[in-house]
Amino acid sequence: MQELMKTIDSILENPYTYLENLSRSKPIMGYSCTYAPVELIYASGYHPARIIGLANNVSLSDVYLQSYACAVVRTLLEDSLLKKLDFLSAFLFLHTCDSMQRLSDIFRINLNFKQFDLILPVKFSSQTSKDYFLDILNDFKSKLEQDQNIKIGIDSLNKAIQTYNDLKANLLKLYNIKSNNPEALSYSDLSKIVRVSFIMDPVEFINISSQIINKIPQNQYQSSKRLLIIGSICNHSVLFETIENKNAHIVWDDLCTGTRFFDELTQIGDNPLQSIADRFIKRPICPTKHINPQYRLDYLKRKIDEYKINGVIFLFIKFCEPHAFDYPDQKNLLEKIGIPSIMVEIENHNIFDEQTRTRLETFIEMLGE
Amino acid sequence: MENKIKSTDKMKKIMKKYYLTAKYAKYFGKKVAWITSGGPVEPLIAMGIIPVYPENHGAMIGASKIGAKLSEYAESLGYSSDICSYVKVDITSSITRQSPIGGLPKPDMLICCNNICGTVQKWYEIQSRKFNVPLFIYDTPFCHVDLDDSAKKYLKAQTKEYISFLESVTKKKLDYDKMQEVGKLSLKAMQKWQAVLDSAINKPSPMTAFDAFIHLALIVTLRGKKVVVDYYETLLKELNDRAKNKIGAVENEKYRLLWDNLPIWYKMRWLSNAFKKHDGALVADTYTQSWCGVVDYVDEERFLETMGEAYARVYLNIGTDKMADSVLKLIDKYSIDGVVLHSNRSCKPYSFGQYDIARIIQKKGIPTLFIEADMTDERKFAQAQVENRIDSFMEVLSQIKG
């Protein structure tokens, strides 16, 4: 298990080196969020790689973006300006938040990436938006076919869906192990496994994650402090260790570096594009999307019941508006049902300060035994 | 704002009547819809539903200089200091009824069009939960380079969906003849509004962007009603008379400036004076142009069919480079000497990309000035710093232009 985690750590320490090596055998398409139809990208011959910026210090991007842009867009831009992403053959922007929308423009105007934009619908609730979703996937498929000079057939698309279903199923298995037996593996490791799945060749990832699943010791320990984490992106292994060192366990999350990426599998069938669109509508939506005004609250309540949650930690990237808008009503709901919560704002997703550590430790202590 | 425009009083009366009607809608047997400022209001007008604009209300709160106080209250409820101040003042006002008009009337439905930002979706979800009323989202795909066929098809389909929604809430059928009439009036209002803004082509300009920010109220709130067309005709006549008689909004107009982004509502007079003391007149802006910029995409004979595409092509729903093209056109049209960009902490889609727009403008030899602020929240405005920046900018401009 330790050896396998070492392999994962080494990739995550420098994901760009891994991708650069991979780019020698196949073109790589970077993408910005979990709404990327990875199966379609993979079937077109590209390796889809979710890029989460690494830069600790942001300076070059100040020429293009104000200081009140979130760390996600700023570091992604910084890495691009530093030419650290030159191994990419293309970049796909997904229409989610206002900041990402403008980042796409900044890339198009100032950088030399082959760029695709997938303008997703905002609402997933009506037949018109479902039809539109299918139309844009069809358009994207045509663009990929033209770009790669191939035809993407039903079989190859279903094969790609099967590969990513296997990848997602392994992640789900790991989360279920963690939830049923919180000490079996740390959330810090679990989070790393999810993040490495964004980067690695999917077949290679399925292989390594299957080995991990087989090697996880099956203890019989139940934690009384079962936590849920909500937010967008979180790379803070140290933060997770701080929480779990205090005898509390993160047994589920609502993160786009977590369950929102892999929850729900895609049906295999005669209309794989329809299946991909259906899966996006069925999976837990992020706050930039809309099914009904109550959706995110109902989802939170459901997860608290399902996973017997004792406390919730909101982990927000500074300036991330979509989550910030949902927060007060989510907090009120938790108060109403007697679940303690804490909100932690992270200035830069690579910085975790002492004050935050103290607040988290105090919160966990307050949860009692 | 000196050389006061006389028509303003008439507009104030129209707006007062409008708000009174909205506040007492129930007594008139009418339903109230809250709608985003860039939303397709015409079907509401055609169905006799009173549209109410929380953003216009936010602007009133900002101009009354209580934006910071109301934002602070929302922050005490857990809303981040980094989110849009219009949302925060609206949330506070809908709880405490604090505002120059004692809060907005309770909505019967919410209509959210995301052609201005993604913020409105979250804002209207919050208010839909609070008031427990139905929400319709008119989803306008973002247009980085152009709108593709799928997006156009989606927009047309949503117009039908929108009408079905209104018919279901009101339990009445849309009168398509009435709709056609409203569509024509809306288009006419946009054309008149464009003519009002174009009066600023004259030298000296008979109006400034600060005047435009005030007179914008009608095209936003009552578009599709005859009163808007009539009012802008009156206003246009007054402005044309002023132009004919060389009455400038700014005495000794020497430098003609363009404003980008929303106004800083609580500092309008101060800003006007800060530029005026250097003989600078803000004669045009990108914000008020948004309510007439897409007029060419609307076909008055096929209003419902073309409405969606036009709404999706508004200034804030297009790529940064397209926005820069629009600014360059305004620079030529209004003989602009310099551009003032309000980097607005409350409006990310308007503000991100401004650095690129500034570079594109500068390449044409037009100097630019950035002002960091917020449209409603006075806490984000450093007056001494802004004053210094304006003074330096105007000095540079005087060196360039003489």
Side-chain angles (χ1 to χ4, degrees), chain B residues 10 18 39 49 83 111 133 145 147 171 178 228 339 368:
Chain B
K10 191 178 172 188
Y18 155 69
I49 301 164
I83 64 164
I111 313 297
V133 292
V145 180
L147 277 180
K171 298 183 177 60
K178 173 82 179 152
V228 183
V339 175
T368 59

Side-chain angles (χ1 to χ4, degrees), chain A residues 157-172:
Chain A
L157 203 38
N158 273 330
K159 207 174 152 198
I161 288 172
Q162 186 59 58
T163 303
Y164 274 92
N165 275 352
D166 291 346
L167 178 150
K168 287 171 190 164
N170 272 3
L171 290 173
L172 188 60

Side-chain angles (χ1 to χ4, degrees), chain A residues 8 22 42 62 79 81 89 100-101 123 127 148 150 167 203 212 233 241 245 275 281 287 293 298 305 322 341 359 367:
Chain A
I8 287 173
L22 193 61
Y42 189 63
D62 288 343
D79 283 1
L81 293 166
S89 296
M100 199 51 83
Q101 177 178 290
K123 57 181 178 185
Q127 191 53 49
Q148 293 289 83
I150 55 158
L167 178 150
V203 176
I212 290 172
I233 287 174
E241 281 161 17
N245 283 344
S275 302
I281 288 163
D298 291 344
D305 292 343
S341 71
R359 285 185 63 220
L367 291 177

Side-chain angles (χ1 to χ4, degrees), chain A residues 63-64 66 68 98 101-102 105 108 110 122-123 126 128 135 139 287-288 290 293 318 321 326 329, chain B residues 82 118 121-122 125 129 137 139 142 144 150 153 158 161 318 320-321 343 348-349 351-352 356 359:
Chain A
V63 176
Y64 302 92
Q66 283 92 331
Y68 48 91
D98 293 332
Q101 177 178 290
R102 286 289 172 224
D105 285 337
R108 184 165 45 77
N110 299 290
V122 156
K123 57 181 178 185
S126 68
T128 56
D135 283 347
D139 293 344
T288 67
H290 174 91
K318 178 89 174 149
E321 288 193 329
D326 279 351
D329 282 350
Chain B
D82 299 320
Q121 174 209 332
K122 303 308 294 176
E125 281 177 2
R129 289 195 293 268
I137 295 183
D139 184 10
F142 194 79
H144 285 288
S150 305
K153 188 177 128 195
Q158 280 184 94
E161 197 178 56
I318 57 174
T320 302
D321 38 356
S343 173
K348 293 180 173 73
S351 304
F352 295 165
D356 276 310
R359 273 188 288 275

Side-chain angles (χ1 to χ4, degrees), chain B residues 147-209:
Chain B
L147 277 180
D148 56 30
D149 291 341
S150 305
K152 289 177 190 171
K153 188 177 128 195
Y154 180 38
L155 289 159
K156 278 182 189 165
Q158 280 184 94
T159 299
K160 286 182 188 160
E161 197 178 56
Y162 179 28
I163 288 161
S164 300
F165 171 85
L166 296 179
E167 288 180 337
S168 134
V169 176
T170 59
K171 298 183 177 60
K172 283 182 198 162
K173 286 279 166 200
L174 171 69
D175 175 343
Y176 281 84
D177 292 336
K178 173 82 179 152
M179 182 64 234
Q180 186 71 359
E181 189 191 319
V182 170
K184 282 184 181 176
L185 283 169
S186 181
L187 189 65
K188 206 164 187 184
M190 290 184 224
Q191 287 158 344
K192 291 286 168 197
W193 178 240
Q194 183 72 70
V196 165
L197 297 179
D198 287 354
S199 73
I201 291 169
N202 290 289
K203 294 178 186 172
S205 170
M207 68 178 288
T208 65

Side-chain angles (χ1 to χ4, degrees), chain A residues 16-276:
Chain A
Y16 298 161
T17 304
Y18 176 89
L19 289 169
E20 199 163 357
N21 289 334
L22 193 61
S23 72
R24 291 186 191 118
S25 55
K26 69 190 297 192
I28 297 185
M29 179 180 289
Y31 65 88
S32 56
C33 96
T34 58
Y35 283 107
V38 283
E39 301 87 347
L40 180 53
I41 299 169
Y42 189 63
S44 77
Y46 276 108
H47 169 69
R50 183 169 182 203
I51 305 295
I52 298 171
L54 300 173
N56 273 320
N57 298 311
V58 171
S59 57
L60 297 179
S61 70
D62 288 343
V63 176
Y64 302 92
L65 272 172
Q66 283 92 331
S67 58
Y68 48 91
C70 76
V72 175
V73 299
R74 281 158 65 83
T75 51
L76 179 50
L77 180 60
E78 189 76 10
D79 283 1
S80 311
L81 293 166
L82 286 167
K83 302 204 164 293
K84 287 183 176 176
L85 302 182
D86 283 1
F87 56 84
L88 293 175
S89 296
F91 203 96
L92 171 68
F93 281 96
L94 287 307
H95 185 257
T96 51
C97 66
D98 293 332
S99 306
M100 199 51 83
Q101 177 178 290
R102 286 289 172 224
L103 184 67
S104 162
D105 285 337
I106 292 170
F107 261 63
R108 184 165 45 77
I109 295 167
N110 299 290
L111 294 158
N112 288 321
F113 284 103
K114 185 193 292 175
Q115 190 171 327
F116 297 92
D117 283 285
L118 203 51
I119 313 293
L120 306 168
V122 156
K123 57 181 178 185
F124 288 170
S125 47
S126 68
Q127 191 53 49
T128 56
S129 55
K130 287 173 188 167
D131 292 345
Y132 173 64
F133 210 137
L134 184 58
D135 283 347
I136 60 162
L137 285 179
N138 264 310
D139 293 344
F140 185 46
K141 177 172 166 278
S142 302
K143 281 179 189 159
L144 288 171
E145 285 174 336
Q146 202 179 354
D147 175 70
Q148 293 289 83
N149 199 21
I150 55 158
K151 272 277 162 207
I152 304 171
I154 291 175
D155 287 348
S156 68
L157 203 38
N158 273 330
K159 207 174 152 198
I161 288 172
Q162 186 59 58
T163 303
Y164 274 92
N165 275 352
D166 291 346
L167 178 150
K168 287 171 190 164
N170 272 3
L171 290 173
L172 188 60
K173 271 183 208 163
L174 286 162
Y175 265 66
N176 283 331
I177 291 171
K178 171 75 179 169
S179 171
N180 292 326
N181 189 355
E183 279 211 336
L185 81 161
S186 71
Y187 184 81
S188 170
D189 282 349
L190 187 55
S191 158
K192 285 177 187 170
I193 297 167
V194 179
R195 281 186 284 129
V196 91
S197 76
F198 300 149
I199 300 298
M200 284 179 82
D201 172 84
V203 176
E204 203 182 332
F205 175 80
I206 292 161
N207 180 27
I208 196 167
S209 53
S210 298
Q211 288 182 59
I212 290 172
I213 290 165
N214 290 331
K215 283 186 193 294
I216 290 176
Q218 296 293 311
N219 301 338
Q220 289 302 316
Y221 170 88
Q222 288 296 315
S223 168
S224 60
K225 295 182 187 178
R226 296 170 63 87
L227 303 176
L228 171 76
I229 292 191
I230 299 178
S232 55
I233 287 174
C234 192
N235 290 343
H236 286 291
S237 294
V238 186
L239 189 148
F240 302 137
E241 281 161 17
T242 299
I243 294 167
E244 298 207 317
N245 283 344
K246 296 293 284 184
N247 198 24
H249 290 96
I250 302 161
V251 297
W252 205 256
D253 68 40
D254 177 23
L255 299 176
C256 65
T257 44
T259 63
R260 289 203 297 269
F261 168 63
F262 61 80
D263 212 354
E264 289 291 334
L265 301 182
T266 311
Q267 292 291 312
I268 298 210
D270 295 339
N271 194 346
L273 280 187
Q274 181 71 63
S275 302
I276 291 171

